Amino acid sequence: MDARFKSRDIERRSLDVDGLKRSFLEWLVYSVGKDARAATRRDWFHTVALAVRDRVVDRWMDTTRSYYQEDAKRVYYLSLEFLIGRLLTNSLSNLGIVDECRQALDRLGLSMEDVVDAEPDAALGNGGLGRLAACFLDSMASQGLPGYGYGIRYEFGLFEQRFENGWQVEYPEQWLQFGNPWEFARPEVLYPVQFYGRVEEFRDSVGERAYRWVDADRVLAMAYDTPVVGYGGETINTLRLWSARATRDFNFGHFNDGAYMKAVEQKILSENLSRVLYPNDATETGKELRLKQEYFFTSASLQDILRRYLQHHTTFDNLPNKAAIQLNDTHPAIGIAELMRLLVDQHALRWDNAWEITRATFAYTNHTLLPEALEAWPVRMIERVLPRHMQIIYEINAKFLNRTKAKAAGDNARLSRLSLIDERGERRVRMGNLAFLGSHKVNGVSALHTDLMKQTVFADFHEEFPDRINNKTNGITPRRWLKQANPALSELITTRIGEGWISDLSQIAALREKADDVVFREEFRRAKRKNKKRLAAYIARQTGEEVLVDSIFDVQVKRMHEYKRQLLNVLHTIALYNEMRDNPTVSWVPVTKVFAGKAAPSYHMAKLIIKLINDVAKVVNHDPSVHDNLKVVLLPNYNVTAAEIIIPAADLSEQISTAGMEASGTGNMKLALNGALTIGTLDGANVEIREHVGPDNIFIFGMTADEVNDLRASGGFNPREVIASNPSLKRALDMISTGAFSPDDRNRYHPIVQALTDGGDHFLVTADFADYCRAQEAAMQLYRDPEEWTRKAILNTASMGWFSSDRTVNEYAEEVWDVHPVKPSHDGEGFR
Ligand code: GPW
């Protein structure tokens, strides 16, 4: 081989400071096309990302080759959302070259922070569900599990949120505008996906009835691959995202003049499929384009999975032994009908055989019980868009109901609840029922949520298939959420217990005994203070507000939703504000209320709550009588990058959803891991967090899920009575309703006041208010004792080992997927 290539090849993989620096300069000039004098920060980001990417490619190919050579069983995580965030620090950290990179940049006169900050935040998701998928990718790669992510390469991720006059305004988020250095386009990996058309019946070669889908529109799904770097760099997995391309009919067609422009229009329209992420979190809009997105990426992924399987196999009997397909909520549930179609129509399998294979291959995760979030597509729409799938769904349903009818004759109400078709009103396909029936395992995402699934949405299915529902409590990756986001605390932890916790978070329990060590407490406080200073500077930059570093940072960061009850927090904020004004001589514990979160653009109530928080902030922050005691900030554009700054700085973590409504929560875990104390209801994973940290180290308040259920069953309650009997609640609500925070439009908040009063207060904000204030008071009292507070904070961090997504993913691997780690063989020179 030509010696120059050889040396260049080694150069590409060198991980020391000199090698990195040389590689940066080479990339800057020859790929970015700039010299060091002309390069912008963004140029440097692209340069560094490309140089880092070089250092994963060989390992990536080794990993893929190992899976292939071992014909390992793979797990395919199908998700409409992957909320990745930035990748530069993540890649460097998982490769173990953060310091080397910093030094190399230093020698070039550059600051690592500036380069890192030039990376856009990849926001291909709305909130918890999409971030969970991203944490799972990190955990699968970090544990050597053969896991692939499959999703959509949206050109526009989640909108950018700005406040104009205190109102949320959405701007398009163009993360791909300057190119994406992490991805590899695969123009040759292309699958056709069909829509519309009709179904033709015919007789197959043995005279059996068979079907083909004809006269359909076609688009192509083109693959883009992003390497997923596991911790330590041993395993590099693949995230494959699909982008819509017009069929080649356009490229190779010849048109007369009229048809040419029509064909161009058609091309543009068909490529709109992967244009934009739907910005709704836990609510369905039922738009045809959304259904098409769901089918588009699911069909392409299944075709890809079958192609990979058929490289080693000639029949489909072994598919369930070689592929586990996990459905991240019902968004890809149409895949059950699609796999049946591929097996029966395209590969000529018998129905029963195909069904057995399908069910053994799929598993389904449910993430919500909220009725408005359970997908139910109109039969008329599926008939039109996916006519063959509608037939298949009918067939699945008929066979299932026939078998069930034989067992439980007469109970028509039960049969209609089990049906895949909701016959009340416009006929709809219940995607949750389809996902349940077509999967061998179905799981909830916290112990409480899984119990409630059994009692509510899937009660009848649970009776029918008692072994199918299982629990997999969510988790978070300790790499991004502690090591990377909180270097101050993670370095402190490592000095005391070593670095084993990074890949085995259960080891963090060794910190428990340090809670009684005064020196450690002091250092723990110092780390928190450093993070609070960093957040205070961020707040000042984003909002112009100066906050007190020595106040309680009381943090509620999550999507804006009535069930998450930001309103409860706002009401407490107002009540506290009033108390502070009434009692100016009392020495108050200073409080900084930090809010952040986006509202779905069409969710008017959530947007009104945003405006209310901004209005309250304006009044409170301009009132000199509470100047040193209370500040309220609503940070714009909450995303993964903002979370990495906010979470390490939090003292108090607000997890205050109406009990029974938050399936799990994962922000609750991130905050506790970073040493925040939780104030929360017994909802979702809060229940398990309490079990792990101990009831003395968490502030629990409010009604339980059972109490909420009983209250609703008995016809609800009268919020007016509750309000009348609580003067501070009454005063806070009166201020809102009389325009104390909206002098320019005194009626602005009537919809909110209405919902909390005559509207019946569906989310029980007023019902839980008094107990919430009691818990807040307890938190403030504790904060007066820094040693006790710190002790409990340390115990929180030390007790979060179980909430690592490594643990979650291992449970899936063993109990649902039956996949096992594969150790890639990396021949060639060593690598740390
Ligand atoms: F409605 N979740 C979410 F279930 O972030 F599909 N978006 C969603 O659209 C849905 C759920 C869906 C969240 C849950 O609200 C949260 O409690 C959970 O921790 C998270 O999914 C991950 O399981």
Side-chain angles (χ1 to χ4, degrees), residues 514-740:
K514 304 278 185 291
D516 296 317
D517 172 342
V518 255
V519 178
F520 184 75
R521 285 205 297 257
E522 180 56 38
E523 291 183 73
F524 191 93
R525 259 194 309 276
R526 203 177 300 153
K528 179 63 77 179
R529 199 156 199 289
K530 189 171 178 189
N531 295 328
K532 289 173 76 171
K533 277 188 159 167
R534 181 174 68 164
L535 176 56
Y538 181 81
I539 290 171
R541 230 178 312 134
Q542 296 285 327
T543 70
E545 223 42 78
E546 302 287 337
V547 302
L548 221 60
V549 174
D550 292 307
S551 60
I552 302 186
F553 279 20
D554 175 346
V555 169
Q556 187 170 22
V557 289
K558 49 184 82 248
R559 287 296 288 251
M560 290 289 165
H561 241 292
E562 286 166 281
Y563 84 82
K564 293 176 189 282
R565 297 201 296 192
Q566 279 91 357
L567 268 180
L568 180 56
N569 193 349
V570 173
L571 286 170
H572 171 259
T573 304
I574 298 169
L576 186 62
Y577 169 59
N578 289 334
E579 258 194 88
M580 285 174 169
R581 285 192 300 158
D582 292 351
N583 303 283
T585 58
V586 168
S587 114
W588 291 98
V589 178
V591 174
T592 302
K593 290 271 189 180
V594 179
F595 293 86
K598 294 175 182 178
S602 60
Y603 191 170
H604 298 291
M605 188 57 101
K607 288 178 131 176
L608 192 57
I609 293 168
I610 284 178
K611 174 64 172 164
L612 175 61
I613 299 171
N614 277 322
D615 274 350
V616 170
K618 194 153 76 180
V619 169
V620 170
N621 299 345
H622 286 92
D623 187 336
S625 71
V626 297
H627 184 265
D628 294 325
N629 293 328
L630 185 61
K631 281 274 162 2
V632 180
V633 294
L634 172 47
L635 286 165
N637 202 40
Y638 185 58
N639 58 16
V640 171
T641 301
E644 289 167 5
I645 298 167
I646 299 168
I647 289 171
D651 293 307
L652 193 61
S653 159
E654 298 273 353
Q655 307 301 334
I656 60 179
S657 50
T658 314
M661 304 198 82
E662 189 71 272
S664 162
T666 45
N668 47 1
M669 302 166 190
K670 293 163 198 167
L671 283 150
L673 180 61
N674 282 277
L677 272 58
T678 302
I679 180 166
T681 48
L682 284 177
D683 198 15
N686 296 353
V687 176
E688 290 150 273
I689 291 177
R690 181 180 66 159
E691 283 164 12
H692 281 83
V693 305
D696 293 342
N697 303 308
I698 186 168
F699 301 100
I700 294 293
F701 72 93
M703 300 176 76
T704 63
D706 283 340
E707 288 166 355
V708 169
N709 191 34
D710 293 349
L711 181 72
R712 288 195 178 145
S714 68
F717 75 117
N718 186 351
R720 293 259 183 220
E721 283 169 21
V722 177
I723 294 162
S725 69
N726 188 321
S728 89
L729 174 58
K730 178 163 192 327
R731 183 170 165 200
L733 271 172
D734 283 347
M735 287 170 72
I736 295 173
S737 77
T738 57

Side-chain angles (χ1 to χ4, degrees), residues 18-235:
D18 279 333
L20 283 167
K21 185 186 153 199
R22 274 198 302 275
S23 180
F24 292 164
L25 287 171
E26 192 174 308
W27 269 110
L28 181 69
V29 175
Y30 295 103
S31 292
V32 176
K34 290 270 184 93
D35 67 21
R37 237 176 308 179
T40 63
R41 284 176 187 184
R42 189 182 299 115
D43 293 329
W44 280 113
F45 159 67
H46 280 265
T47 297
V48 174
L50 290 167
V52 171
R53 194 182 74 169
D54 273 356
R55 285 153 175 81
V56 311
V57 169
D58 293 311
R59 305 238 133 199
W60 188 21
M61 291 175 180
D62 290 347
T63 304
T64 307
R65 196 180 319 113
S66 297
Y67 296 163
Y68 180 84
Q69 278 165 357
E70 293 196 19
D71 189 23
K73 181 168 180 180
R74 278 96 154 173
V75 54
Y76 299 108
Y77 200 81
L78 268 57
S79 180
L80 208 45
E81 305 192 5
F82 286 93
L83 227 186
I84 303 285
R86 288 177 175 165
L87 281 176
L88 181 53
T89 307
N90 187 252
S91 309
L92 291 171
S93 175
N94 281 4
L95 291 173
I97 55 170
V98 176
D99 290 340
E100 288 80 354
C101 183
R102 185 187 298 280
Q103 287 173 43
L105 289 172
D106 210 52
R107 290 189 195 173
L108 292 163
L110 296 159
S111 117
M112 174 100 144
E113 279 64 38
D114 287 348
V115 173
V116 164
D117 278 340
E119 178 171 9
D121 181 292
L124 309 186
N126 276 287
L129 172 141
R131 183 55 231 177
L132 184 74
C135 283
F136 282 4
L137 291 182
D138 180 87
S139 281
M140 290 191 291
S142 295
Q143 304 197 92
L145 287 168
Y148 292 71
Y150 274 114
I152 295 181
R153 180 181 178 271
Y154 300 107
E155 187 176 330
F156 300 98
L158 186 59
F159 65 85
E160 181 193 329
Q161 176 196 56
R162 293 191 207 164
F163 300 135
E164 293 178 6
N165 233 326
W167 294 98
Q168 169 175 299
V169 178
E170 301 90 21
Y171 286 82
E173 189 274 351
Q174 305 196 44
W175 70 298
L176 293 174
Q177 197 173 16
F178 300 99
N180 173 4
W182 301 116
E183 71 186 7
F184 289 84
R186 307 288 190 207
E188 76 288 2
V189 182
L190 223 42
Y191 295 99
V193 178
Q194 307 202 110
F195 298 100
Y196 311 111
R198 62 194 170 83
V199 178
E200 225 172 50
E201 188 183 316
F202 65 101
R203 295 280 158 181
D204 67 13
S205 52
V206 290
E208 295 275 345
R209 222 188 277 281
Y211 301 89
R212 62 168 89 90
W213 184 6
V214 297
D215 295 344
D217 289 359
R218 271 187 168 203
V219 293
L220 297 174
M222 175 184 149
Y224 284 81
D225 289 345
T226 300
V228 179
V229 181
Y231 184 66
E234 272 296 309
T235 292

